Structures are given as structure tokens and as C-alpha cells.
Amino acid sequence: MFTHPTDGTLKHIAFIMDGNGRWAKKRGMPREFGHTEGTKAFRRIAEYCFRGGIETVTIYAFSTENWKRPQNEVAAIMSLFRSYLSLGMEEMAKNDIQITFLGDKSPLAPDVRAQMEKLERESAGNRWHLNVAINYGGRAEIVSAVNRLAASGVTEFTEDAISDAIYTSGQRDPDLIVRSAGELRLSNFLTWQSVYSELYFTDTLWPDFDEADVDAAVAAYYERTRRFGGV
Ligand code: IPE
Ligand code: IPE
Ligand code: MG
């Protein structure tokens, strides 16, 4: 288990869980199999972070661009998400974890949306906070926030007003963003919130991502000096 220095600042870790497809391909399996395995890693990692005192964990599960994938893969991811909503996530909500979904729910199936809203409602106020980014895009998030503010009559857009209008309203920005599977980019993740996040990349494919990878990311974080533009 990782530890924090007494003045530790690491309270929010966001994960870009990437590499499910490559993990499956290496085993001669369909990409969907990688997503199933990746879902198991997701819960283990989130719970490990909470046990280590990380207050907020954000997971990138499906981007606004992921609809471009073959229809059968999108369907498999959505079906996995649907079954996970009523199994794993229900249990997590009972274990004092507040669940919030980041993203536009409107294109999702009505039963899925209803279950997402139920989980959000029932887990509100829980001790630990899990954000699941699904049909999430950082640019779309900013555009929709600005449109909503404009529709409510706001004419002067401040940073605080936009921060309050985006999906993570009231939440702390991620201190650390971790991406698995070797790509060195953010892929439209937390565009507004990531401006001063520390970034950590590892080659580990997401289904293989484990507690030791979290420990390594946390250790790397505490080696950094965050200046936020100061000296
Ligand atoms: C991440 O794994 C999961 C999603 C984007 C839904 P990928 O499916 O992107 O796996 P690779 O990058 O193709 O290996
Ligand atoms: C980012 O992974 C999205 C998620 C992890 C949900 P992608 O696999 O979609 O990103 P790119 O296409 O390699 O940038
Ligand atoms: Mg990928």
C-alpha cells in the first residue's frame, strides 16, 4: 500500500484506462474480451485508491469519439456497462462510494440512464467519490457548459462560472492523471480540469494494471514539485 507524506496533496487520481484491445489481441482474443477484463481491473484499482486515502477517483470509460468504433465493439462495451451498473457499481455505492457520471447521458439507452441516475441519487453524500466518464469529451463538456450559462442569461463568462457549470462542478481538479498502454496523450479527457495535473504514463496494458502500478504512479507524483506558475 502506498503512503502519503504528512503534507500530502494527492487527493484525486484520474485514470485513462487504455489498452484493453491490445491486451486481448496479444492473446488472440476478440477486443471485447479485453474490455471484460479491463472492467475487473477498474474496480480493484478504484477500491485500492480509496483504501489508500485517495478521496476521488475518476475513470475514463468511453469517450465521445469512441462511437467511431465498429458497431459490435460499441454494443459490447455498452452491454458490459449495463451489467456492471447493476452489479459492481451497486455494491460500490453500498460501500460508501459516491458515484457520479461525467458525460452526456442522452444518447444512452433509457434503462441505462435510469440506472445511472438511481446510482447517483442513492450514493449521494457517500465518503469516497468515484467519477465514471462515459460518453465524455472535454471539449463537449466546455461547450455545453457555456451554452447552458448563456441560456440562463449570463453574459460574462468567468473561470469560476465555467468550473461550476461543467460535470465536475464543486469537485477538486485531478492532482494526477495516469494513462496506461503507452500512448502519450489525453484524448479529450478532463480538458478544463487538467491544466495543472501531474501526468503519469505507463506501458502496462489496462487489464494488467495492478496495485504496484498505482504505487509507482503515487511515488512518481510525490517526486514532483507543483508550482502552479509560481517559483
Ligand atoms: C480502452 O481500451 C477502453 C476504451 C477506450 C473503451 P482500448 O479499447 O482503447 O484498447 P486499445 O487502445 O485498442 O488497445
Ligand atoms: C481514450 O482511449 C478513451 C478511453 C480510455 C475511454 P482511446 O483508445 O479512445 O484513445 P486514442 O484513440 O488512442 O487517442
Ligand atoms: Mg485505446
Side-chain angles (χ1 to χ4, degrees):
M1 175 58 73
F2 56 86
T3 53
H4 303 267
T6 42
D7 58 351
T9 56
L10 182 54
K11 303 209 162 71
H12 181 177
I13 308 184
F15 293 92
I16 300 175
M17 43 178 192
D18 195 21
N20 291 346
R22 279 165 277 173
W23 184 91
K25 192 171 173 217
K26 264 175 56 183
R27 285 160 180 77
M29 300 292 281
R31 296 177 54 83
E32 291 71 15
F33 181 62
H35 296 310
T36 307
E37 288 305 300
T39 306
K40 294 179 195 161
F42 140 78
R43 181 170 179 190
R44 208 178 68 233
I45 294 306
E47 292 181 340
Y48 181 67
C49 289
F50 295 136
R51 279 201 301 283
I54 304 296
E55 292 177 355
T56 304
V57 171
T58 300
I59 305 262
Y60 202 7
F62 193 84
S63 76
T64 47
E65 287 72 38
N66 287 148
W67 298 104
K68 291 181 202 159
R69 295 187 177 205
Q71 214 190 321
N72 64 330
E73 180 173 346
V74 171
I77 293 172
M78 289 302 157
S79 131
L80 201 55
F81 181 58
R82 175 185 272 114
S83 55
Y84 211 64
L85 274 172
S86 47
L87 292 166
M89 291 202 204
E90 285 253 357
E91 269 174 41
M92 291 176 95
K94 286 193 189 100
N95 292 335
D96 216 3
I97 297 169
Q98 169 167 1
I99 298 170
T100 304
F101 296 98
L102 315 181
D104 177 11
K105 295 184 181 86
S106 64
L108 306 176
D111 66 307
V112 167
R113 291 172 58 177
Q115 176 66 8
M116 289 164 82
E117 281 155 13
K118 177 169 171 270
L119 274 171
E120 288 185 320
R121 218 170 34 243
E122 290 177 355
S123 67
N126 282 352
R127 169 74 179 86
W128 309 99
H129 203 151
L130 174 69
N131 294 307
V132 180
I134 186 130
N135 190 26
Y136 174 88
R139 286 192 175 178
E141 173 178 46
I142 297 167
V143 169
S144 96
V146 171
N147 278 323
R148 242 176 315 111
L149 288 172
S152 72
V154 173
T155 50
E156 202 181 305
F157 303 98
T158 62
E159 293 192 10
D160 283 347
I162 294 176
S163 294
D164 283 344
I166 56 179
Y167 296 119
T168 50
S169 177
Q171 295 196 42
R172 180 188 177 92
D173 287 341
D175 300 297
L176 173 66
I177 298 180
V178 174
R179 181 168 188 149
S180 60
E183 310 298 349
L184 308 181
R185 56 176 170 262
L186 293 176
S187 302
N188 207 8
F189 188 46
L190 302 180
T191 306
W192 181 270
Q193 300 88 336
S194 63
V195 288
Y196 272 108
S197 302
E198 295 299 322
L199 307 179
Y200 179 87
F201 299 97
T202 169
D203 288 335
T204 308
L205 301 176
W206 181 259
D208 291 330
F209 195 93
D210 66 9
E211 289 80 349
D213 291 292
V214 178
D215 293 352
V218 172
Y221 172 86
Y222 280 122
E223 291 293 313
R224 311 267 180 97
T225 305
R226 302 182 75 185
R227 280 184 290 274
F228 299 99
V231 288

